[in-house]
Amino acid sequence: ELGLKVSEIEGDSVLFYRAGEPPKAEEIVNQSKKMFIDFHAYLRVIERDNVCQCGACRTASNLTLKFVTHYGELREIAIQNFKKLIGSDLILAHRLLKNSIPSHEYLMLSERYLENQNSEIPTAESWITVEPNVEVFDNFGEIKTKYILLTPLRNLVPAPAKLDELSVGDGEVDLSINIKAPIKLVHQVLIDPKSKIHWVNGIQDVRNAEPINRINTSHTCVFDDLEIHVVTKNNKMKGDEIRYTERGEAGVGLSVITDYKLKEKNGSTNVSLRVIPERTVVSGTLFKRMIEGLKKNLMTKVMIRGMKKDFVSLKRYCEKLAEEAGK
């Protein structure tokens, strides 16, 4: 909202800048507050929709955010089609990221910035407490700053809306196989749409897959004469068990739920599957409805027979990955 431009994404930080007069302190505080709350609100959505069980995805809500605001002189140099900012004030701004403030969540305002704008730091809101700070850097000497802790803003982060869960209950298992591989490895293969190339028989391509699989993301499995649109619906952990559910819709009028249950024991993973045809309203005569029901049951049985081969391929692929990881 301040007309800032992104100069560079530098690892885990973003360098924003703008030319001209500096924004007022109130504007900087409001912008930082909005970005902090929006950032953590999005992390909560990621946490809600998370499917991946890796450490990074499961601990995304632990990420912190800090802001350093400085005012000074910059120069731009052209490097091919890219403009790079240079100057001693930019170096100082980077140095200020490494400081003695006892927190990882704050807005820091340099003395140079505060001296070049004509407004006071707002303190009306209860979460705002302004603290003085001094840093000493080689070639710069003593640098005075002020900072505001942002951690109290976590109380203002809204909870994400609840998802409509797909209820599949429990029922008779259609397929089961034991895989000599850790449960996290097997689960990662199941939730990675691109991995289906390695274990789903007859598949030619996986299209439109999101970079990260989350609840309600989708992809399309392409076969020789069929395309199946797949949507991730559920992913739940309970003790040593993971349950992962997808909905698949084929162009031939068949919609099924594939409900996987993974259970680890002694380093191996048992994978069981239920294939559940979804009920659809069929209009017409009783005879037509009976025919449609029989056709759906037949197609489901054909799908289960095909997935028996897929399970063997899944076992082979996961055990190969486990062996390679152990070398």
Side-chain angles (χ1 to χ4, degrees):
E1 297 179 352
L2 302 179
L4 299 174
K5 298 178 182 178
V6 175
S7 172
E8 290 185 70
I9 297 176
E10 305 169 328
D12 62 354
S13 66
V14 184
L15 173 59
F16 294 96
Y17 75 104
R18 88 175 196 191
E21 293 298 313
K24 293 180 180 180
E26 182 179 8
E27 294 176 315
I28 290 288
V29 169
N30 289 338
Q31 177 71 82
S32 301
K33 174 184 176 182
K34 183 180 189 307
M35 292 174 77
F36 185 90
I37 292 174
D38 287 353
F39 176 77
H40 283 286
Y42 188 65
L43 290 183
R44 291 190 180 185
V45 171
I46 291 175
E47 193 173 58
R48 179 197 67 187
D49 297 347
N50 179 47
V51 169
C52 179
Q53 299 303 313
C54 79
C57 287
R58 294 181 66 186
T59 60
S61 59
N62 294 337
L63 289 171
T64 56
L65 190 62
K66 59 187 179 184
F67 302 87
V68 169
T69 302
H70 183 54
Y71 180 74
E73 295 182 3
L74 294 173
R75 286 195 299 125
E76 286 184 338
I77 59 172
I79 302 176
Q80 294 183 344
N81 297 326
F82 176 71
K83 289 185 178 180
K84 185 172 181 63
L85 300 180
I86 62 172
S88 61
D89 281 303
L90 181 63
I91 294 172
L92 177 56
H94 281 89
R95 294 275 186 89
L96 287 170
L97 288 168
K98 304 293 183 182
N99 55 63
S100 57
I101 295 176
S103 173
H104 297 292
E105 299 183 312
Y106 56 80
L107 164 62
M108 174 190 277
L109 306 165
S110 75
E111 185 177 43
R112 180 85 176 273
Y113 162 73
L114 292 171
E115 290 175 343
N116 282 275
Q117 55 91 43
N118 57 7
S119 66
E120 296 294 325
I121 300 175
T123 57
E125 295 187 56
S126 60
W127 64 273
I128 299 177
T129 301
V130 182
E131 300 287 350
N133 181 65
V134 177
E135 303 293 340
V136 179
F137 302 116
D138 292 343
N139 302 318
F140 290 99
E142 186 177 272
I143 303 297
K144 295 180 180 179
T145 70
K146 292 184 179 180
Y147 70 90
I148 301 169
L149 293 180
L150 300 177
T151 304
L153 289 175
R154 284 179 176 261
N155 296 324
L156 303 181
V157 178
K162 288 188 176 181
L163 290 173
D164 292 330
E165 293 189 357
L166 177 68
S167 179
V168 292
D170 293 303
E172 186 177 346
V173 171
D174 294 302
L175 296 171
S176 179
I177 197 166
N178 197 60
I179 300 174
K180 294 179 181 178
I183 190 170
K184 284 187 177 180
L185 185 151
V186 178
H187 178 258
Q188 190 62 41
V189 169
L190 280 176
I191 68 171
D192 179 10
K194 293 294 185 181
S195 286
K196 291 182 177 179
I197 292 291
H198 300 285
W199 63 273
V200 175
N201 290 274
I203 194 169
Q204 295 182 348
D205 193 14
V206 176
R207 296 176 185 164
N208 305 319
E210 297 287 338
I212 299 176
N213 187 0
R214 295 196 180 105
I215 301 299
N216 288 330
T217 60
S218 62
H219 60 278
T220 301
C221 296
V222 181
F223 298 85
D224 184 39
D225 55 355
L226 181 69
E227 291 189 0
I228 301 178
H229 182 68
V230 182
V231 180
T232 299
K233 298 307 298 180
N234 291 336
N235 188 83
K236 295 182 178 180
M237 288 188 67
K238 186 178 181 181
D240 59 353
E241 183 177 289
I242 302 177
R243 197 161 179 176
Y244 176 65
T245 310
E246 293 180 332
R247 170 188 279 132
E249 295 182 6
V252 292
L254 178 65
S255 178
V256 298
I257 302 299
T258 49
D259 183 38
Y260 297 91
K261 187 181 290 185
L262 288 70
K263 191 173 181 67
E264 187 172 41
K265 186 176 181 180
N266 299 326
S268 292
T269 304
N270 178 262
V271 182
S272 60
L273 171 67
R274 293 168 59 214
V275 180
I276 310 163
E278 287 199 288
R279 294 181 179 179
T280 55
V281 178
V282 180
S283 59
T285 63
L286 175 62
F287 179 73
K288 182 180 179 181
R289 295 198 298 272
M290 289 176 59
I291 293 297
E292 289 297 323
L294 290 171
K295 185 168 69 173
K296 179 175 290 188
N297 288 336
L298 177 61
M299 293 174 71
T300 302
K301 289 179 180 178
V302 170
M303 177 178 285
I304 293 172
R305 282 202 300 270
M307 294 193 77
K308 284 183 179 178
K309 296 180 181 178
D310 294 342
F311 259 39
V312 174
S313 298
L314 176 66
K315 173 182 172 70
R316 188 182 302 119
Y317 180 59
C318 290
E319 291 180 351
K320 178 186 174 185
L321 292 179
E323 183 180 354
E324 292 173 351
K327 288 182 180 179

